Amino acid sequence: MTAIDLKDLTISYSSVPVVHGANFSVADGESFALVGESGSGKSTILKAISGLNDEWTGEIKLFGEKIDPKNRTDISRITQMVFQDPYGSLHPRKTVDTILNEPLAIHGIKDDGTRVLEMLSAVGLDKRYRFRYPHQMSGGQRQRVAIARALMIKPKLLLLDEPTSALDVSVQAEILNLLKKLRKEQNLTFLLVTHDLPVASFLCDRLAVMKGGEIVEIASREQMTKGELKAEYSNELLGVHAQKLGA
Amino acid sequence: MTQSPLLKVRDLTTSFFTSRGEVQAVRGVDFDIHAGEVLGIVGESGSGKSITCMSVLRLLKNNGRTIKGTAHFEGRDLLELSELEMRRLRGNDVAMIFQDPMTSLNPTLTVGEQIIETIIAHKNISRSAARERVVELFELVKIPEAASRLGAYPHEFSGGMRQRVMIAMALSCDPKLLIADEPTTALDVTIQRQILLLLKEIQSRLGMAIILITHDLGVIAEVTDRILVMYGGTAMETANVHHLFDKPMHPYTQGLLASVPNVNNIDGEKLKPIPGSPPDMLRPPKGCPFMPRCDKAMEICVTTGAPEFEIDDAQSHKSRCWLHHPDAPQQKGDAA
């Protein structure tokens, strides 16, 4: 089954088109990356899929079901999102426990607290963090809470918008390992937005390179690591990274 | 490199005095930079890399104070100069560029005006001569159609072009030392590289020294000569750039390099993060700041910070770790 199926997705902000006819599909359990520079439209696609923006035309199918942009309560149960900035995406005056219980309350799921403990342990946080506030935690720990929150209602698809770009490299490595582990354990589908090709190649099986609102190339990880990308722009992006670290 | 260094920093110690206590941001940093050299200072957030440079230029906020240490620039200790002498030196001999080119430019003035203002403030020249100088600078930093862009406002430039404007401004008085604090962090990857290569090109043409502060190990390999790795307010290791990437000796540097994902060496295996989190600088560890996260820590690391050990003189390689002591147990894989 395909988890995501986009056909001719065109997204405009007022009358300015920012994504022009994007087509791709992601299989159930696959991990797919959208790579490109700022303004290339990668986050915009994520927002359309997640329902944060309903001004689009074309077709979005999630797990075989067509999305109606005006009515999406059912779909938000199977897709959840993790944002870039763990400092901005957690409510500063709510404890971790309250933050994690919120998705359950929204979707009317009854729980006696076991799910919170389960998720804390899944993301590698000790139970003593349950009643702490975000400001008492480091950036990496906050991002773990944001991931736990996204997983509370057992979604099938996780939308990740630059989940590690606000973190230091040694912490980034922890979060990337965690995401990889969770995907395997919970059989999740990932759609990752990043400008960092090494992150995409670590986490994803396939990737789409975007530029100026268009998908210029879709390739597998093997094609990327072997340097077999076809589009000139993809190689320009890859070239930047290959020269990094003198590799 | 037998001539005396352009900037020689010794035992630099800076703290911030907050309502929660003394935050020991920089704890006894030593480093040299020679004329025409590009030094990269690498470290994660809170490692003290920016504060080290801010202390040298005396740009600390009110609650920050450099408690001890010296910073000799061409023989004069910057920490002893009067505020007036310091003001003459900043922008003239030492210039700085910051991370975010949008907030470091005045949005209500044209870019030409801002740089002309800078030049007139430092040099005794006419407005029209200053204007010509700006056109020259814009050509140097490769802003297309330089002469016609002087009247544009910062918002009319893209991020990369704005950073070029900042570089032009920093170069306006021919500094001997340029301090660039994360100059490309706010930019896209392809633009990042253009800006770094531009800096490198201008550096070799004008022969100035550059200190490049960054948290991104990737960006600096290509443009720097030597690297200083900072952690917990201390300089942990320094060496010529390729030598450091090939043979990192300090456990922190090794951990940092191992945690970076790389397109070429990923085959689905796990990344190796450094366990634990950086020290709280309100209460830094008594001994080595990296000790609580170090898997090779020994008893002595808990109580006493390591001195700097000379590893390889030809590569300017020094490392602050007890493992390099002759009596320390031999490490597997050490080929030094």
Side-chain angles (χ1 to χ4, degrees), chain B residues 107-178:
Chain B
T108 66
L109 291 177
T110 63
V111 291
E113 185 56 38
Q114 298 185 49
I115 306 181
I116 291 171
E117 198 178 54
T118 314
I119 299 175
I120 292 177
H122 284 285
K123 287 197 167 146
N124 190 17
I125 60 172
S126 70
R127 218 188 131 76
S128 61
R131 201 186 152 78
E132 272 168 40
R133 172 83 180 127
V134 178
V135 176
E136 258 174 57
L137 287 164
F138 273 20
E139 276 162 6
L140 181 69
V141 299
K142 297 181 184 157
I143 293 177
E145 294 166 51
S148 65
R149 297 294 271 162
L150 292 196
Y153 287 89
H155 74 266
E156 299 175 70
F157 288 85
S158 66
M161 282 297 154
R162 259 181 240 143
Q163 198 58 287
R164 285 171 200 260
V165 172
M166 287 305 297
I167 295 171
M169 190 187 287
L171 297 176
S172 59
C173 297
D174 298 315
K176 293 171 187 144
L177 174 64
L178 177 68

Side-chain angles (χ1 to χ4, degrees), chain A residues 37-38 168 170 177 202 243, chain B residues 44-45 188 190 193 269 271:
Chain A
E37 304 197 349
S38 342
D168 274 319
S170 66
N177 282 340
F202 177 72
Q243 261 128 10
Chain B
E44 299 184 76
S45 358
D188 275 320
T190 49
R193 180 143 183 273
E269 90 271 38
L271 294 167

Side-chain angles (χ1 to χ4, degrees), chain B residues 37-58:
Chain B
E37 188 183 23
V38 184
L39 173 72
I41 302 186
V42 186
E44 299 184 76
S45 358
S47 60
K49 54 195 191 305
S50 293
I51 301 303
T52 298
C53 291
M54 295 294 222
S55 306
V56 169
L57 283 182
R58 302 203 354 222

Side-chain angles (χ1 to χ4, degrees), chain B residues 6-319:
Chain B
L6 182 66
L7 175 69
K8 181 173 164 187
V9 174
R10 288 291 174 275
D11 198 25
L12 188 76
T13 306
T14 295
S15 287
F16 288 87
F17 295 89
T18 69
S19 55
R20 288 170 61 217
E22 180 187 349
V23 180
Q24 302 174 32
V26 178
R27 305 193 300 150
V29 167
D30 301 342
F31 70 91
D32 292 339
I33 177 165
H34 292 267
E37 188 183 23
V38 184
L39 173 72
I41 302 186
V42 186
E44 299 184 76
S45 358
S47 60
K49 54 195 191 305
S50 293
I51 301 303
T52 298
C53 291
M54 295 294 222
S55 306
V56 169
L57 283 182
R58 302 203 354 222
L59 290 170
L60 296 171
K61 296 229 171 76
N62 289 335
N63 63 344
R65 214 167 64 227
T66 299
I67 298 164
K68 59 176 181 176
T70 57
H72 284 93
F73 181 78
E74 296 190 307
R76 291 193 295 171
D77 186 357
L78 300 183
L79 304 177
E80 299 287 329
L81 293 184
S82 71
E83 189 47 45
L84 185 71
E85 288 172 299
M86 199 61 211
R87 209 182 291 174
R88 271 193 209 125
L89 180 126
R90 285 190 214 114
N92 242 347
D93 293 331
V94 186
M96 190 153 180
I97 48 182
F98 298 91
Q99 176 173 348
D100 181 358
M102 192 61 214
T103 50
S104 7
L105 289 167
N106 184 337
T108 66
L109 291 177
T110 63
V111 291
E113 185 56 38
Q114 298 185 49
I115 306 181
I116 291 171
E117 198 178 54
T118 314
I119 299 175
I120 292 177
H122 284 285
K123 287 197 167 146
N124 190 17
I125 60 172
S126 70
R127 218 188 131 76
S128 61
R131 201 186 152 78
E132 272 168 40
R133 172 83 180 127
V134 178
V135 176
E136 258 174 57
L137 287 164
F138 273 20
E139 276 162 6
L140 181 69
V141 299
K142 297 181 184 157
I143 293 177
E145 294 166 51
S148 65
R149 297 294 271 162
L150 292 196
Y153 287 89
H155 74 266
E156 299 175 70
F157 288 85
S158 66
M161 282 297 154
R162 259 181 240 143
Q163 198 58 287
R164 285 171 200 260
V165 172
M166 287 305 297
I167 295 171
M169 190 187 287
L171 297 176
S172 59
C173 297
D174 298 315
K176 293 171 187 144
L177 174 64
L178 177 68
I179 299 178
D181 190 352
E182 306 258 8
T184 61
T185 307
L187 305 174
D188 275 320
V189 278
T190 49
I191 313 290
Q192 270 185 10
R193 180 143 183 273
Q194 289 173 8
I195 295 289
L196 288 170
L197 292 180
L198 174 75
L199 273 177
K200 178 78 184 164
E201 187 194 319
I202 293 174
Q203 184 271 336
S204 52
R205 207 183 316 163
L206 306 180
M208 63 186 171
I210 298 184
I211 296 179
L212 188 67
I213 302 173
T214 181
H215 69 276
D216 187 344
L217 280 164
V219 307
I220 71 175
E222 214 176 343
V223 289
T224 52
D225 301 319
R226 194 157 56 86
I227 290 186
L228 180 76
V229 180
M230 284 192 68
Y231 182 82
T234 315
M236 298 306 238
E237 183 167 16
T238 177
N240 291 345
V241 57
H242 293 295
H243 187 73
L244 189 83
F245 281 125
D246 288 346
K247 282 189 186 164
M249 294 299 284
H250 197 287
Y252 174 64
T253 317
Q254 291 168 350
L256 197 62
L257 287 171
S259 64
V260 181
N262 184 332
V263 176
N264 302 316
N265 66 4
I266 287 170
D267 233 356
E269 90 271 38
K270 275 174 88 171
L271 294 167
K272 293 193 204 85
I274 304 173
S277 47
D280 177 2
M281 300 316 281
L282 274 166
R283 272 171 250 93
K286 207 167 135 214
C288 172
F290 189 56
M291 177 277 298
R293 301 173 76 182
C294 182
D295 57 0
K296 294 172 185 152
M298 301 174 288
E299 258 169 58
I300 189 167
C301 307
V302 181
T303 53
T304 321
E308 202 166 60
F309 289 97
E310 204 60 72
I311 309 266
D312 183 344
D313 197 34
Q315 299 286 351
S316 323
H317 197 167
K318 291 176 201 156
S319 171

